[in-house]
Amino acid sequence: MDMDKVDQIIDKHNCEASSLIQVLLDIQGANNWLPKEALDRVAERLQVPLTRIQHIATFYKAFSVVPKGRHGVHICLGTACHVRGASRILDTVQDITGLNPGETDLDLKFSLETVNCLGCCALGPVMEVDGKVHGKMAPAKIADVLKNYD
Amino acid sequence: MSDVVLTIDGKQVTAKKDMTVLEAARSAGIHIPTLCYHEKLEPYGACRLCVVEIEQRGWWRLVVSCVYPVENNLVVKTRSEKIDRIRKTIIELLLAHAPDAFELVDLAKEYGADRNRFEKEPSFCIHCGLCVRYCAEIKKAFAIGFINRGTKREISFIPEIASKVCWDCKECFPLCPTEALQAAFVLARAMSFPELDYDANVKGK
């Protein structure tokens, strides 16, 4: 990640240690994950120990300290989706992308995650890509959805 | 500052206003077992082993003595059937993580805890936070911290800092009740800065 961008984000929050989580969220938003160099820079400029930043960055699920792909694929495994065949959806996505849940592919295209409920159970089984909900999924439809992303 | 008088195990104890129940008890020579307490560090309340009963409006209530401030006419019990049962369970849970830690084994004997009660999951660290807090509060080096959350929480050295400061310090080593810290340090050193080890042992620097 470009360090100028990190500096810009830190400047936007007036270099205040109390804005640490906001700074991390902005970096996460701009880069999809938190690289070590970015955390070092934040520690140095905000005068916060790196141990504390690491503690926070690994505590919240909103942050990732491992690379994440450009597109986040979330498969709902909540009760309603589960009974409507979410596990078959997950299997198909795993076959197409070659990823296990929690993994990212080498060219940083997709990151696959499982979630426990997306809050739209009537649409189950649900797959969410980059915040867009694809409801009433079937294994045969998945390839059509995923090919729209690059 | 006016002093506070409280009763611990039927004994009148005079304490300073800013003391905790644990400190008041210790100053009166009353023993309360602890794992995460250190007199130089801020109270943390992690191990819960120093749990005691206090009387409030005729009811007995459980509080953690290392973070509970003293108050006038407070009545405290440091041993009772209920307290012993709770401490026994805490020790049994901790033993699942660190089955052979000396301090825990001694406590287990005292409270009759069964080290095989819970399925063993040896992670060795009991998350007392002594090393993390000592490094941050006393040494201000911030070489070690906690990472992750819940069942996956563990201690982790920052290699860049640890390779510079830990070699000549290691003051946190004797604090660790389970020796998980020493293992974590050896691991961090082997993975992140083995050249220092080589210099010290082979070249005799």
Side-chain angles (χ1 to χ4, degrees):
Chain A
M1 186 187 185
D2 180 14
M3 279 306 129
D4 292 341
K5 183 86 185 117
V6 177
D7 281 333
Q8 266 174 32
I9 290 169
I10 297 170
D11 289 334
K12 201 179 96 195
H13 292 282
N14 301 325
C15 229
E16 273 181 63
S18 57
S19 307
L20 175 60
I21 289 183
Q22 286 306 321
V23 170
L24 294 182
L25 277 172
D26 283 0
I27 298 172
Q28 173 82 32
N31 194 49
N32 287 326
W33 68 292
L34 303 171
K36 181 75 167 48
E37 306 83 62
L39 295 184
D40 283 339
R41 186 63 146 246
V42 173
E44 189 193 316
R45 293 208 45 204
L46 261 51
Q47 290 293 302
V48 179
L50 193 58
T51 45
R52 197 172 160 70
I53 296 181
Q54 229 180 37
H55 189 28
I56 292 167
T58 54
F59 187 91
Y60 294 105
K61 251 203 145 170
F63 299 126
S64 172
V65 289
V66 292
K68 284 282 169 217
R70 293 185 297 281
H71 308 291
V73 182
H74 296 133
I75 311 292
C76 181
L77 294 182
T79 313
C81 291
H82 176 77
V83 297
R84 290 175 182 219
S87 53
R88 285 191 300 135
I89 305 290
L90 181 61
D91 286 346
T92 315
V93 174
Q94 279 180 286
D95 281 348
I96 293 173
T97 59
L99 300 171
N100 287 320
E103 290 180 351
T104 302
D105 49 12
L106 276 176
D107 45 3
L108 297 183
K109 189 174 168 190
F110 290 120
S111 289
L112 179 60
E113 298 278 352
T114 60
V115 293
N116 288 325
C117 187
L118 287 166
C120 45
C121 304
L123 295 176
V126 171
M127 172 169 89
E128 190 193 66
V129 186
D130 287 350
K132 187 176 180 338
V133 173
H134 300 270
K136 298 212 173 14
M137 282 311 292
K141 292 193 212 161
I142 289 168
D144 284 342
V145 173
L146 290 182
K147 74 172 189 230
N148 295 328
Y149 298 91
D150 63 1
Chain B
M1 200 195 291
S2 60
D3 283 352
V4 174
V5 180
L6 65 161
T7 314
I8 304 177
D9 287 349
K11 198 169 150 188
Q12 291 274 321
V13 176
T14 313
K16 291 199 185 71
K17 228 178 180 173
D18 56 352
M19 275 178 155
T20 60
V21 171
L22 176 72
E23 284 163 348
R26 290 240 164 133
S27 71
I30 298 165
H31 176 72
I32 298 175
T34 57
L35 287 171
C36 71
Y37 175 79
H38 190 284
E39 62 220 342
K40 286 187 195 158
L41 302 176
E42 286 291 311
Y44 193 55
C47 71
R48 308 320 255 193
L49 209 59
C50 64
V51 65
V52 294
E53 281 191 280
I54 58 162
E55 195 185 356
Q56 257 176 357
R57 298 191 203 104
W59 292 86
W60 288 97
R61 191 161 80 88
L62 289 162
V63 298
V64 179
S65 64
C66 71
V67 290
Y68 196 86
V70 290
E71 53 196 65
N72 246 328
N73 305 321
L74 190 72
V75 182
V76 182
K77 264 198 293 192
T78 68
R79 284 299 283 260
S80 73
E81 205 185 308
K82 195 174 179 185
I83 293 168
D84 284 7
R85 203 177 63 230
I86 291 168
R87 286 187 189 153
K88 176 172 165 267
T89 309
I90 293 172
I91 295 162
E92 281 167 343
L93 285 164
L94 293 178
L95 278 169
H97 284 293
D100 295 311
F102 297 124
E103 273 186 60
L104 286 178
V105 171
D106 288 348
L107 282 166
K109 258 184 223 145
E110 192 183 339
Y111 287 91
D114 173 11
R115 65 202 283 262
N116 297 315
R117 178 166 169 198
F118 297 105
E119 198 184 328
K120 292 212 177 61
E121 205 178 287
S123 60
F124 304 104
C125 181
I126 57 164
H127 304 128
C128 66
L130 280 173
C131 52
V132 172
R133 287 180 292 142
Y134 192 86
C135 198
E137 289 177 32
I138 308 278
K139 303 300 288 187
K140 306 226 183 310
F142 301 100
I144 187 165
F146 280 115
I147 55 166
N148 292 331
R149 171 175 56 160
T151 54
K152 291 189 177 139
R153 195 165 182 234
E154 55 183 302
I155 49 171
S156 168
F157 282 96
I158 307 260
E160 293 89 340
I161 303 174
S163 62
K164 284 191 205 108
V165 297
C166 293
W167 198 259
D168 301 318
C169 172
K170 292 184 183 168
E171 283 169 34
C172 56
F173 277 32
L175 299 178
C176 182
T178 67
E179 292 165 25
L181 169 66
Q182 287 90 322
F185 181 73
V186 172
L187 193 66
R189 192 180 64 193
M191 296 206 316
S192 314
F193 43 98
E195 64 284 354
L196 282 178
D197 211 12
Y198 177 80
D199 286 351
N201 291 326
V202 182
K203 292 193 209 153
K205 265 188 204 166

